[in-house]
Amino acid sequence: MKAVVYEKPFSVAVRDVQDPRIEHPNDVLVRVTSTAICGSDLHMYEGRTAAESGIVFGHENLGIIEEVGSGVTSLSEGDRVVMPFNVACGFCKNCLVGKTGFCLTVNPGFAGGAYGYVAMGPFIGGQAERLRVPYADFNCLKLPPGEEFETDFVLLADIFPTGYHGCELAQVSPGESVAVYGAGPVGLMAAYSALLRGASKVFSVDRVPERLAKAEEIGAVPIDFTKGDPAEQIKEQTNGEGTDKGVDAVGYQAQAHDASHEEPAIVLNELVETVRPTGMLGVPGLYVPSDPGGPDEHAKRGQLLVSIGRMFEKGQQMGTGQCNVKRYNRQLRDMIIAGRAKPSFVVSHELPLDQAPQAYEKFDKRIEGYTKVVLHPGHALAA
């Protein structure tokens, strides 16, 4: 089959790789119809992880089941399904309490597994024509047949639940004000989720004009951090108090205010200043224990200088960690079907699989309006 394969930093290629097969009675094989490029993929693409040449990317996957293992009971050939980026067993201690992002079974020695991602287990990614899904009864979410809501539903694999998870970590409630740092796909989903949860005012902090314009379109207040300290800009619009809640949708590759260099802890520290005393911070933005491209020796080891004293002084609380997609995806699916949510507003480009190398390059450089790319294996779509 054709698949997107990592070659070296800033280089991916579409190559022929071995077809997946049923390896366990609980597996299914899915013909991938939509698979999205994620900002997390860019960490590997840029050489900022330990990813090795040959890994097949892709953890945001939707498709049609083509083959069903003998132990699968709730799924059939022809079912349309979307898979959480988390590969999970459904029966370990963490899965049983809904912490499926930290499954203890699928990736021995590590809490959590995912498709096509470094250190997240042996699971081949879905930026390919087919995908093997283990523990399929647990990991597949059924969708209505047909092609309706295709670009909405594929976002259920990661960014829509992850944005919602950021708001859940911060315990965003109706009537509250929220600051979301980052207006990339996850940041836009966090701002959108805050509005869905009834936030009275949502600020969206970024520097890319297209992203800030998109945030404004959905009802958020755009804050350009290159035009002044974002915490101060937000305080000026909240009677000097700051917001009730804050979400970090940036992670460890955060940019300094003048966008001239990276400051890995700057968003965390800005959130501490932005959110009012006793407020809460949700941090779904990715932080890693090892960053080969970190700007200093501490950052290379995942050790950041965070203003914990200021956070303690303000009595703030923080929730962190990757999203437990299954906790949210069923409800968010039903909101899409009911017309209450349309997350596909973030999708800027739909492309055939063979245009993945160009899409990665443009998405990485934030050019030509590339905010979220959905690849459609097997389709020759116009660019």
Side-chain angles (χ1 to χ4, degrees), residues 295-315:
D296 58 55
E297 289 307 310
H298 288 289
K300 284 178 167 56
R301 297 194 297 271
Q303 299 169 350
L304 309 182
L305 194 61
V306 178
S307 300
I308 189 66
R310 181 70 169 141
M311 184 180 176
F312 181 91
E313 179 183 67
K314 296 181 76 171

Side-chain angles (χ1 to χ4, degrees), residues 35-46:
T35 178
I37 300 176
C38 181
S40 296
D41 292 324
L42 295 183
H43 299 308
M44 295 186 291
Y45 175 75
E46 294 172 355

Side-chain angles (χ1 to χ4, degrees), residues 43 48-50 102 109-111 117-120 251-252 264 285-294 296-304 322:
H43 299 308
R48 297 294 291 270
T49 71
F102 301 88
F110 191 90
Y117 210 87
V118 61
M120 298 299 283
Y252 72 107
L286 181 65
Y287 290 88
V288 293
S290 175
D291 172 18
D296 58 55
E297 289 307 310
H298 288 289
K300 284 178 167 56
R301 297 194 297 271
Q303 299 169 350
L304 309 182
Q322 70 175 10

Side-chain angles (χ1 to χ4, degrees), residues 51-352:
E52 297 182 355
S53 176
I55 185 174
V56 175
F57 285 170
H59 57 265
E60 302 183 29
N61 309 308
L62 180 155
I64 308 298
I65 294 177
E66 285 193 330
E67 188 175 347
V68 179
S70 61
V72 175
T73 61
S74 65
L75 303 167
S76 303
E77 290 182 22
D79 283 347
R80 184 189 189 199
V81 291
V82 63
M83 283 64 65
F85 76 87
N86 321 114
V87 180
C89 69
F91 54 76
C92 73
K93 182 185 296 186
N94 283 343
C95 284
L96 287 173
V97 295
K99 306 290 187 181
T100 56
F102 301 88
C103 177
L104 301 172
T105 302
V106 298
N107 189 12
F110 191 90
Y115 302 98
Y117 210 87
V118 61
M120 298 299 283
F123 309 104
I124 303 300
Q127 288 173 16
E129 293 176 313
R130 291 177 184 81
L131 178 71
R132 179 180 75 91
V133 180
Y135 302 102
D137 283 309
F138 187 70
N139 287 309
C140 289
L141 177 67
K142 282 188 185 180
L143 303 170
E147 298 182 358
E148 191 177 12
F149 304 120
E150 183 84 3
T151 51
D152 293 298
F153 285 151
V154 73
L155 303 184
L156 291 171
D158 184 353
I159 67 165
F160 192 13
T162 295
Y164 198 90
H165 180 59
C167 293
E168 186 74 8
L169 290 170
Q171 297 184 20
V172 173
S173 299
E176 293 187 317
S177 57
V178 184
V180 178
Y181 276 71
V186 170
L188 288 170
M189 288 293 95
Y192 188 54
S193 296
L195 293 166
L196 288 174
R197 292 167 69 109
S200 60
K201 199 166 198 177
V202 177
F203 298 93
S204 180
V205 182
D206 207 293
R207 66 181 175 89
V208 180
E210 293 91 345
R211 292 178 170 186
L212 291 170
K214 188 66 72 172
E216 190 169 25
E217 284 177 17
I218 64 170
V221 178
I223 301 291
D224 185 342
F225 68 75
T226 66
K227 294 183 178 178
D229 186 296
E232 293 304 317
Q233 291 187 61
I234 291 170
K235 286 180 180 178
E236 288 174 4
Q237 300 185 56
T238 54
N239 297 317
E241 183 181 75
T243 59
D244 299 303
K245 304 293 172 61
V247 177
D248 174 359
V250 179
Y252 72 107
Q253 287 186 261
Q255 295 281 319
H257 288 163
D258 62 3
S260 65
H261 62 282
E262 289 185 7
E263 287 188 23
I266 192 170
V267 168
L268 294 172
N269 289 327
E270 287 288 0
L271 275 176
V272 170
E273 293 303 319
T274 300
V275 174
R276 65 172 175 81
T278 74
M280 297 189 68
L281 318 179
V283 185
L286 181 65
Y287 290 88
V288 293
S290 175
D291 172 18
D296 58 55
E297 289 307 310
H298 288 289
K300 284 178 167 56
R301 297 194 297 271
Q303 299 169 350
L304 309 182
L305 194 61
V306 178
S307 300
I308 189 66
R310 181 70 169 141
M311 184 180 176
F312 181 91
E313 179 183 67
K314 296 181 76 171
Q316 295 169 334
Q317 298 180 58
M318 178 187 293
T320 69
Q322 70 175 10
C323 178
N324 308 298
V325 172
K326 277 187 64 70
R327 181 174 176 181
Y328 314 108
N329 65 353
R330 189 175 302 274
Q331 298 96 312
L332 296 178
R333 175 201 64 185
D334 292 346
M335 291 180 72
I336 291 169
I337 294 170
R340 296 288 304 278
K342 191 167 183 59
S344 60
F345 74 86
V346 301
V347 175
S348 59
H349 294 76
E350 296 183 64
L351 302 171

